[in-house]
Amino acid sequence: MIRRSVVLGCGGYLPKKIVTNDDLAKLVETSDEWIVKRTGIKARHIAGPDETTSEMALAAARAALADAKIEAKTVDLIVIATTTPDNTFPATAAKVQAKLGLERGFAFDVQAVCSGFVYALAVADNFIRLGQARTALVIGAETFSRLLDWNDRVTCVLFGDGAGALVLGVEEGRGDKSDRGILSTHLHSDGRYYDMLRTEGGPGTTGASGHVQMEGKEVFRHAVVRLAEVVDEALAANDMKPEEIDWLVPHQANQRIIDGTAKKLNMASERVVTTIAEHANTSAASIPLALAVAVKDGRIKRGQIVLLDAMGGGFTWGAALIRW
Ligand code: ACO
């Protein structure tokens, strides 16, 4: 028997303010047609002046705890994946811990940009499997809109804000793919591509958080190749075939990247959870938000196989295979 991290609940939070492509076309020289054709994005939610990463993370965490039907006090680990913390330090996870009324356990942030949620999930899974935590909140939360140059049409059309959370608990499993829970996680990075997707400076260089800069075509090219590799790796590690996957829940960066991975897996679009049209790219929040949508509307059911994949700045990329 081995220890497995199992999903007990999930939830999401989106800011009320919706900004459509037509709204953006009033700010920069772009069009709904251009954005939809190149990315699949139609609208994005944007945080209001009083909506912070910690507030959104807290709302998603509360929704996930309610879905799991457990009280916050049972949580002994909080990991938040974010590129947009409330403060440069301390970790946003510490603020969420306090807002949940917790005085024990441990809480910290993980930074892997758009791959952040898969990284955070892997970290929490390892703590649970080692017996160092029993109940974990894994959150992806972003106010990415605050990193954007709203005069730069190349980047400002791509991103949105929001938060999603999973509650993980512990169960004994047999150690094979019939187990419930996280079956495996696979993380990669290649820092040679550091400059391809980054902010212009940061607290340790310019003293400011800086705006997003991106070599869009290079990001696109690498994403398609790396995601195809890592989903193969996840399937091989579990002796699984693509047809055994019930749902692909990818990071929502670009509809064309998502379609590329689905094609590689020979998966019909009905088995792919996509929220890019309404949410845009919410960085580390995109996967847990998509999970929250598909669990709430009844698509993802207990016992089904769910494949997560993500790629982001660094470059970082990764995948996780879960029996829900
Ligand atoms: N509206 C209208 N025209 C635009 C816009 C816009 N919002 N943005 C760029 N253009 C113009 C460019 O200026 C260029 O004009 P030019 O030919 O006169 O020079 C033209 O459109 C083509 O620009 P490209 O950058 O070549 O467009 P491309 O087809 O590569 O699409 C895009 C750009 C959508 C960013 C694409 O490269 C892409 O999706 N890359 C992946 C990057 C990504 O998803 N990033 C998200 C963050 S990373 C992540 O989460 C994995």
Side-chain angles (χ1 to χ4, degrees):
M1 299 296 273
I2 67 157
R3 231 185 252 120
R4 290 280 193 197
S5 315
V6 293
V7 177
L8 302 178
C10 74
Y13 175 84
L14 287 161
K16 285 199 179 53
K17 185 179 174 189
I18 295 173
V19 175
T20 65
N21 293 345
D22 287 335
D23 293 333
L24 286 182
K26 291 175 197 147
L27 288 179
V28 289
E29 206 182 317
T30 191
S31 66
D32 178 55
E33 193 198 353
W34 192 96
I35 302 169
V36 171
K37 190 168 166 223
R38 305 284 174 125
T39 69
I41 297 166
K42 293 180 182 155
R44 68 284 294 141
H45 292 250
I46 299 292
D50 298 330
E51 277 171 313
T52 57
T53 297
S54 67
E55 285 297 337
M56 294 197 295
L58 181 68
R62 287 201 168 122
L65 288 166
D67 184 48
K69 298 185 181 59
I70 62 170
E71 286 185 58
K73 67 179 183 217
T74 60
V75 172
D76 50 14
L77 168 63
I78 301 175
V79 189
I80 299 189
T82 186
T83 301
T84 46
D86 285 13
N87 294 61
T88 302
F89 78 88
T92 298
K95 208 175 201 181
V96 170
Q97 182 191 27
K99 286 181 176 178
L100 285 171
L102 302 176
E103 293 170 14
R104 53 176 278 280
F106 57 115
F108 59 93
D109 293 354
V110 162
Q111 159 58 295
V113 213
C114 298
S115 310
F117 187 76
V118 176
Y119 269 63
L121 195 67
V123 168
D125 178 42
N126 281 311
F127 275 113
I128 288 175
R129 286 159 74 111
L130 279 171
Q132 294 180 358
R134 287 192 64 81
T135 310
L137 262 171
V138 186
I139 305 170
E142 301 280 17
T143 43
F144 222 81
S145 60
R146 300 204 171 111
L147 283 182
L148 299 174
D149 174 355
W150 287 95
N151 296 311
D152 176 15
R153 68 175 182 176
V154 178
T155 52
C156 80
V157 301
L158 300 176
F159 296 92
D161 300 330
L166 290 192
V167 184
L168 298 180
V170 61
E171 256 180 32
E172 293 285 314
R174 293 200 302 207
D176 61 31
K177 65 181 179 181
S178 69
D179 288 349
R180 205 183 148 221
I182 297 177
L183 299 177
S184 66
T185 57
H186 306 269
L187 304 183
H188 295 278
S189 64
D190 188 342
R192 289 177 299 165
Y193 300 99
Y194 190 90
D195 287 337
M196 295 282 170
L197 179 53
R198 62 185 169 91
T199 54
E200 220 175 354
T205 50
T206 56
S209 54
H211 289 140
V212 175
Q213 303 272 304
M214 178 180 75
E215 302 287 336
K217 277 200 197 315
E218 280 300 298
V219 175
F220 190 96
R221 203 169 61 78
H222 280 269
V224 172
V225 174
R226 296 306 187 198
L227 292 174
E229 284 170 5
V230 81
V231 297
D232 271 352
E233 185 186 329
L235 288 172
N238 293 282
D239 193 22
M240 257 189 211
K241 296 191 174 60
E243 49 271 30
E244 292 176 74
I245 304 168
D246 293 295
W247 297 103
L248 172 65
V249 186
H251 168 51
Q252 312 279 321
N254 185 307
Q255 187 66 47
R256 292 183 296 149
I257 297 175
I258 296 172
D259 292 345
T261 312
K263 193 170 167 208
K264 151 93 189 155
L265 291 166
N266 202 19
M267 287 183 80
S269 58
E270 295 75 44
R271 287 162 63 208
V272 183
V273 178
T274 49
T275 53
I276 180 124
E278 304 83 29
H279 298 179
N281 180 351
T282 56
S283 187
S286 87
I287 289 178
L289 269 170
L291 286 170
V293 168
V295 168
K296 198 168 180 191
D297 69 20
R299 274 180 287 173
I300 297 179
K301 295 183 182 65
R302 194 174 160 140
Q304 290 186 323
I305 293 288
V306 179
L307 175 62
L308 315 181
D309 72 5
M311 152 101 191
F315 287 144
T316 52
W317 65 100
L321 204 55
I322 305 172
R323 187 177 291 283
W324 203 258

